[in-house]
Amino acid sequence: MSFESVIKIVTENWPMFLRGAGVTLLISMVGTIIGALIGLLIGVFRTIPRPDRLFKRIIHRVLGGLFSAYIEIFRGTPMIVQAMVIYYGSAMAFGIDMDRLYAAIFIVSINTGAYMSEIVRGGIVSIDKGQFEAAQAIGMNHIQTMRHVVLPQVMRNILPATSNEFVINIKDTSVLNVISVTELYFQTKTIAGNNFKYFESFLIACIIYFVMTFTVTRILRFIERKMDGPDNYMMAGNQMQVTTPQFKEQS
Amino acid sequence: MQPVIEIQHLKKSFGSHEVLKDIDFTVNKGEVVSIIGSSGSGKSTLLRCINLLEKPTGGQIIYQGENILDDTHDMNAYRKNLGMVFQQFNLFNNHNALGNCVIGQRKVLKRSKKEAEDVAMNYLRDVGMEQYIHAKPKHLSGGQKQRVAIARALAMEPDVLLFDEPTSALDPEMVGEVLNVMKSLAHTGLTMLIVTHEMEFAREVSDRIVFMDQGVIVEQGPAQQLFDNPTEERTKAFLRRF
């Protein structure tokens, strides 16, 4: 291995690497966002108190059961296997020829959704009971309480876990090469297959993966700090105290 | 005197533990009532039952001629008529002081932004927090938080204001600022129901004192009478400790 050969691979194949990295980032970003939304919906649903009316209670029970099954199944099986089952399964069973990219986004989304549901539920449970009580005491209903008081705080609290999911997704999309999505791993494999320089090619992929995950982590850390706001408070409306005295010149 | 809330045969149990045993009790318009008693006497539970944070296991709560414990009654519509000030403040952490006072007015009372902010500013000024309207709860001291919490409850312009040990979680030097706000409120003719351990304060502001012990109302009467000439043995024993 020489440094020159690494440079050579980059200069010859940079559009492929770039496209691969782009696809990886696209799948993991869209997948994380959709997954977070799925998680938010299911997480909120799972904290709704058990309804009093029989009909509503049955629906609540059935949906709860379905969501539990979804979470357990997708957390309990590897994504690489899910990808094969969903992609080839849908083609065989229903004759659907899914676009590979959409299939990839779909798989990452529902996989992330399963994890995020539990993260969101944990986030809601961790909010102080007093926040719910204060909102109820004012006369807010469950949806208003969630929307205006609880969820904004949950969002902040689950941000670190969400960025964790994002980073995991950037790395784990590499398993989607089994359904031939042209993400970074798949592209690298193709490049290496042509030039037989496996070590150099994958070293480059390694660096690209690291740069992506590191940047994402930093950006989300920055957003977290932005959301937290300043540690100290400057009093409002104290202009009276800061005006400088005006001395009139004696003439 | 016109009753605002009438409580009849109210019962509350947590499992097999009976916290409230057959409470009969009325709050009249414009009255300041303090509930005193040792910890575990059920006074906080009574307050929390009144605004349905705890669901009573039996009895009736009559508000404007209707029993609000009927299944058909809209809980949230009733609750907006009662203000609540908590021991732990419970300010909404994601809103600043102004936002805390505005959100309920906007979403529950459906007031316009302008009106809600004007009302909120008025009450924040009353409690002396107008300089902190943009401060988040984490920036405020305990006493300041509680004053904002009082303004938040007042901004809903409730029929009754409930106070659940409003000074118990405060550092000693901050108790005064909150009690002062409550004192001036008591003089405005607002109906107030206060659970407190501050005996001096209760005596000074209350029209009526209710003494509770082991889930029952042992004795009630005008402040002077109850503190100086209690008739029940349990009341005497309790007051001797102060």
Side-chain angles (χ1 to χ4, degrees), chain A residues 49-225:
Chain A
R50 212 162 66 112
D52 290 330
R53 302 240 171 83
L54 184 68
F55 180 66
K56 278 187 175 175
R57 197 149 73 198
I58 292 170
I59 291 183
H60 187 256
R61 229 359 222 291
V62 170
L63 280 176
L66 285 175
F67 290 150
S68 296
Y70 158 66
I71 293 169
E72 293 306 332
I73 290 169
F74 280 91
R75 282 204 308 186
T77 52
M79 191 158 81
I80 191 167
V81 178
Q82 290 165 17
M84 297 299 263
V85 169
I86 289 171
Y87 184 68
Y88 292 107
S90 66
M92 276 183 65
F94 309 109
I96 306 167
D97 185 19
M98 282 173 112
D99 184 282
R100 287 166 204 280
L101 183 66
Y102 290 144
I105 290 175
F106 178 72
I107 290 155
V108 175
S109 300
I110 50 176
N111 200 284
T112 310
Y115 284 96
M116 287 302 295
S117 305
E118 287 299 282
I119 292 170
V120 172
R121 196 178 62 86
I124 294 173
V125 170
S126 73
I127 299 289
D128 180 26
K129 210 168 102 256
Q131 299 284 310
F132 292 87
E133 289 189 345
Q136 286 166 3
I138 271 180
M140 288 191 192
N141 58 34
H142 186 75
I143 293 169
Q144 289 172 328
T145 305
M146 280 293 163
R147 185 155 162 242
H148 301 293
V149 176
V150 177
L151 286 183
Q153 298 181 49
V154 170
M155 302 281 218
R156 166 64 192 90
N157 291 348
I158 67 171
L159 203 57
T162 310
S163 63
N164 210 11
E165 279 297 314
F166 194 0
V167 167
I168 289 172
N169 281 341
I170 290 175
K171 297 184 296 178
D172 283 6
T173 45
S174 59
V175 305
L176 295 170
N177 79 85
V178 295
I179 55 166
S180 308
V181 183
T182 55
E183 41 70 50
L184 184 53
Y185 177 85
F186 184 87
Q187 298 285 58
T188 314
K189 210 170 67 173
T190 311
I191 293 164
N194 286 333
N195 61 17
F196 299 107
K197 293 198 158 60
Y198 282 87
F199 174 68
E200 289 90 336
S201 304
F202 279 100
L203 186 69
I204 295 164
C206 192
I207 292 165
I208 299 174
Y209 272 118
F210 181 76
V211 169
M212 285 198 288
T213 54
F214 189 74
T215 316
V216 163
T217 321
R218 291 290 114 179
I219 290 172
L220 286 166
R221 275 296 297 154
F222 176 75
I223 294 173
E224 273 175 46
R225 258 180 317 206

Side-chain angles (χ1 to χ4, degrees), chain B residues 38-233:
Chain B
S38 45
S39 311
S41 59
K43 52 193 190 325
S44 279
T45 308
L46 173 59
L47 206 68
R48 291 167 59 83
C49 278
I50 290 176
N51 75 352
L52 306 181
L53 285 177
E54 303 289 353
K55 213 168 158 51
T57 29
Q60 296 191 315
I61 298 175
I62 312 284
Y63 174 76
Q64 290 183 340
E66 283 179 65
N67 178 18
I68 49 130
L69 295 181
D70 279 350
D71 279 348
T72 53
H73 213 93
D74 182 0
M75 216 158 65
N76 296 319
Y78 162 71
R79 274 173 171 159
K80 71 178 184 215
N81 300 309
L82 308 181
M84 178 89 169
V85 176
F86 296 87
Q87 183 177 354
Q88 300 293 342
F89 330 123
N90 295 347
L91 288 184
F92 303 135
N93 292 326
N94 55 321
H95 292 282
N96 61 24
L98 185 63
N100 265 279
C101 301
V102 164
I103 187 82
Q105 297 186 66
R106 297 268 288 134
K107 300 303 165 191
V108 180
L109 302 180
K110 312 283 179 201
R111 285 182 182 158
S112 71
K113 186 164 186 275
K114 171 93 175 54
E115 188 190 1
E117 285 185 351
D118 286 348
V119 172
M121 277 309 295
N122 260 330
Y123 288 111
L124 282 166
R125 212 171 287 127
D126 284 350
V127 299
M129 289 297 292
E130 74 273 27
Q131 289 195 311
Y132 295 90
I133 52 171
H134 298 303
K136 287 282 183 76
K138 66 173 176 183
H139 296 129
L140 301 174
S141 73
Q144 290 173 329
K145 279 186 210 171
Q146 197 61 301
R147 285 190 278 152
V148 173
I150 292 172
R152 174 176 70 178
L154 286 170
M156 299 293 287
E157 284 159 352
D159 290 342
V160 187
L161 204 46
L162 311 174
F163 290 87
D164 186 9
E165 301 191 24
T167 57
S168 298
L170 295 175
D171 291 337
E173 69 265 35
M174 288 168 186
V175 171
E177 66 184 66
V178 172
L179 291 185
N180 282 336
V181 168
M182 290 172 66
K183 273 179 207 164
S184 51
L185 275 179
H187 294 140
T188 61
L190 189 73
T191 313
M192 290 163 69
L193 185 55
I194 308 164
V195 168
T196 186
H197 288 290
E198 299 283 336
M199 293 303 147
E200 278 306 307
F201 166 75
R203 182 189 194 125
E204 196 183 323
V205 303
S206 312
D207 300 312
R208 181 156 55 107
I209 305 279
V210 174
F211 172 65
M212 283 183 70
D213 191 36
Q214 293 177 354
V216 293
I217 292 178
V218 178
E219 187 174 357
Q220 54 178 313
Q224 192 102 46
Q225 180 198 319
L226 192 125
F227 278 113
D228 296 339
N229 300 302
T231 50
E232 297 289 326
E233 203 47 53

Side-chain angles (χ1 to χ4, degrees), chain A residues 2 75-76 233 243:
Chain A
S2 67
R75 282 204 308 186
Y233 178 66
T243 46

